Amino acid sequence: GIFISMVAQRIEPNYDESKVPVYELPPLLVSAKGKQIKSIKQWESIRRPEILEMFSSQMFGKTPGSPFTTSYEVVSVDANALDGKATCKQLRISFSNGNTVRSMLMLIYLPNHIKGKVPLFFAYNFDGNQTVSTDSGILFSNHTSENKRGLKVRRWPIEMIISKGYGVATACYHDIFYDEKDKHAESILPLLGYDPGQSLEGDSWQAIGAWAWGMSRAMDYFETDSRIDAKRIALMGHSRHGKAALWAGAQDQRFAIVISNESGCGGAALSKRAYGETVAVITNSFPHWFCPDFSRFANNEQSLPFDQHELIALIAPRPVYVASAVDDRWADPKGEYLSAFHAGEVYRLYGYEGLPSEEMPALNTPVISRVGYHIRTGVHDVTDFDWQCYLNFADKWMK
Ligand code: GCU
């Protein structure tokens, strides 16, 4: 006979702390073969590559190493932006493999009062470069047809960042992978060997992997700009961009600081807590974000051979900052804190301090060591308070 089994899939968030399963975090400093990792050398040659491989083959997908060429076209330069306080530059970065061409439009503000190379924050925007300022000279990013000019200025305190002596650069993440399922063909994937006619492999990269790749391409540009100090780039990402930022920072050690703003499930939050958004929920709503095999862990988090504290540990010894908002329960603030806390083990191996306590700090009270953390009042968002904390953190580690 034929048995048809109908297993009801739980695809609901959990907001009940008492329903958080008893879980055990995979050890950071024990290798797959059971060897205790006691030195930086063992971490870097044995354990770190193992962890990177797990995230690559089972979560974000493999980043292809296929060749492509890059060209930079400066579209505009305004040396007197923000009443003379900044230089505003726009450039089109084009990628080609001979057949496929894709491009990313980058918007950069550099402080005029700093002589020499400046440190800089890079973060994607969600709705186009023209949303981060009301300046009518800012070009629309690809795919953004309607004029949303200035819509997100609140999240981009450009003057504050400039006045503190930092540059800030942004690009729209849709330029790299338009954030909807089935947009692979239009994304940068075909540039790097993806054949739209073929089905995806279990470890194929998708949107988050592609967004992380785009962050590294921004870094490639910074290395060529004589006014930017590519050794002092802070990579910031909000929410889904925070997931990509952690993954980019893990793979690409050129980023000096990595900042996760409320990245939640698949970002800083521990998957095994299954609190707020779960693996089942996220892989169901966003099948195009992770590699196909990641959905095997839906409602099965206990079988994950890794967890997100290990993603943060891959950034060590570089400074990392994780931020939560108390009403952003969807992103599991406690899970975000615990990840940052547990990653401290690897920072200590390098002789740095991790987060000082396993207790969540008080609201609006940043805890800062080589690992930084805060939980602020309010909802899922990017606020001036968040930016002030990131600027202070950058002052501590990049000045
Ligand atoms: C959704 C998604 C989250 C994501 C967020 C965002 O809420 O479920 O995983 O972080 O969007 O990007 O704002």
Side-chain angles (χ1 to χ4, degrees):
I2 297 170
F3 292 88
I4 299 174
S5 94
M6 302 251 292
V7 180
Q9 272 282 333
R10 266 177 299 115
I11 41 178
E12 280 154 32
N14 166 41
Y15 289 123
D16 185 348
E17 194 63 44
S18 75
K19 292 209 176 104
V20 168
V22 176
Y23 63 90
E24 204 180 312
L25 290 182
L28 271 163
L29 298 181
V30 180
S31 79
K33 287 189 181 146
K35 185 182 165 73
Q36 287 291 333
I37 301 299
K38 298 200 184 100
S39 67
I40 294 172
K41 188 160 175 265
Q42 289 173 333
W43 164 253
E44 290 182 354
S45 64
I46 302 170
R47 187 60 179 151
R48 188 177 189 282
E50 278 177 5
I51 294 175
L52 201 52
E53 172 59 24
M54 288 191 283
F55 280 103
S56 166
S57 58
Q58 300 180 63
M59 187 170 187
F60 298 113
K62 303 249 179 203
T63 307
S66 333
F68 60 92
T69 58
T70 308
S71 61
Y72 304 112
E73 180 204 346
V74 177
V75 193
S76 77
V77 181
D78 174 3
N80 270 305
L82 307 179
D83 302 320
K85 293 188 201 102
T87 297
C88 176
K89 198 162 167 175
Q90 299 183 86
L91 57 131
R92 188 166 296 286
I93 306 181
S94 300
F95 312 108
S96 168
N97 64 6
N99 302 308
T100 305
V101 179
R102 296 286 184 267
S103 73
M104 167 163 95
L105 188 67
M106 181 137 84
L107 171 69
I108 307 175
Y109 286 89
L110 301 174
N112 283 342
H113 68 282
I114 305 287
K115 298 286 160 258
K117 288 175 180 267
V118 296
L120 173 144
F121 286 85
F122 177 79
Y124 280 137
N125 60 71
F126 283 77
D127 306 282
N129 293 352
Q130 74 277 18
T131 62
V132 312
S133 157
T134 52
D135 181 343
S136 61
I138 299 176
L139 301 169
F140 289 7
S141 297
N142 303 334
H143 310 289
T144 54
S145 49
E146 38 178 312
N147 191 342
K148 293 183 174 174
R149 196 173 294 293
L151 199 76
K152 293 284 169 72
V153 282
R154 203 181 39 79
R155 282 189 178 180
W156 295 86
I158 297 171
E159 296 227 19
M160 175 168 102
I161 300 169
I162 291 291
S163 71
K164 294 271 272 170
Y166 294 89
V168 56
T170 187
C172 181
Y173 79 135
H174 290 309
D175 284 4
I176 300 296
F177 192 124
Y178 190 82
D179 192 5
E180 270 175 22
K181 49 184 176 196
D182 309 327
K183 295 291 182 190
H184 304 72
E186 291 103 287
S187 78
I188 53 101
L189 267 55
L191 183 85
L192 293 140
Y194 166 76
D195 173 358
Q198 279 179 345
S199 57
L200 294 172
E201 303 289 329
D203 64 358
S204 293
W205 70 335
Q206 297 205 75
I208 296 179
W211 297 328
W213 178 91
M215 290 166 164
S216 287
R217 302 295 72 79
M219 173 57 97
D220 293 346
Y221 171 73
F222 302 141
E223 292 188 321
T224 71
D225 190 316
S226 60
R227 282 209 54 203
I228 297 173
D229 186 352
K231 298 218 155 40
R232 290 186 292 158
I233 304 294
L235 176 61
M236 196 282 248
H238 171 56
S239 209
R240 65 196 68 183
H241 300 169
K243 309 180 208 299
L246 291 172
W247 180 226
Q251 295 175 94
D252 188 338
Q253 298 187 295
R254 293 175 298 172
F255 291 105
I257 289 182
V258 182
I259 301 162
S260 150
N261 192 79
E262 302 158 21
S263 61
C265 181
L270 291 175
S271 300
K272 289 180 190 284
R273 274 175 47 80
Y275 182 97
E277 187 177 32
T278 63
V279 174
V281 173
I282 202 168
T283 53
N284 180 62
S285 328
F286 305 100
H288 61 295
W289 280 7
F290 303 93
C291 72
D293 272 356
F294 187 55
S295 55
R296 291 182 303 164
F297 302 109
N299 293 321
N300 191 21
E301 287 87 353
Q302 66 284 4
S303 72
L304 267 165
F306 55 88
D307 210 334
Q308 301 308 101
H309 62 308
E310 295 178 284
L311 181 63
I312 296 173
L314 289 175
I315 294 161
R318 292 161 294 148
V320 68
Y321 199 112
V322 173
S324 310
V326 71
D327 296 331
D328 184 19
R329 293 186 309 152
W330 182 253
D332 185 16
K334 185 170 180 191
E336 293 183 314
Y337 179 74
L338 287 173
S339 259
F341 171 75
H342 289 295
E345 221 181 322
V346 177
Y347 283 84
R348 283 192 290 278
L349 191 68
Y350 280 96
Y352 289 109
E353 241 187 291
L355 284 177
S357 94
E358 203 164 341
E359 294 290 301
M360 291 276 281
L363 290 181
N364 306 319
T365 311
V367 186
I368 289 179
S369 64
R370 193 74 172 176
V371 181
Y373 178 84
H374 73 247
I375 176 164
R376 62 157 172 78
T377 41
V379 297
H380 190 64
D381 200 357
V382 186
T383 67
D384 279 2
F385 175 82
D386 295 323
W387 275 109
Q388 272 149 16
C389 294
Y390 305 149
L391 287 161
N392 291 340
F393 192 63
D395 279 353
K396 181 174 170 82
W397 294 116
M398 295 206 301
K399 277 274 163 82

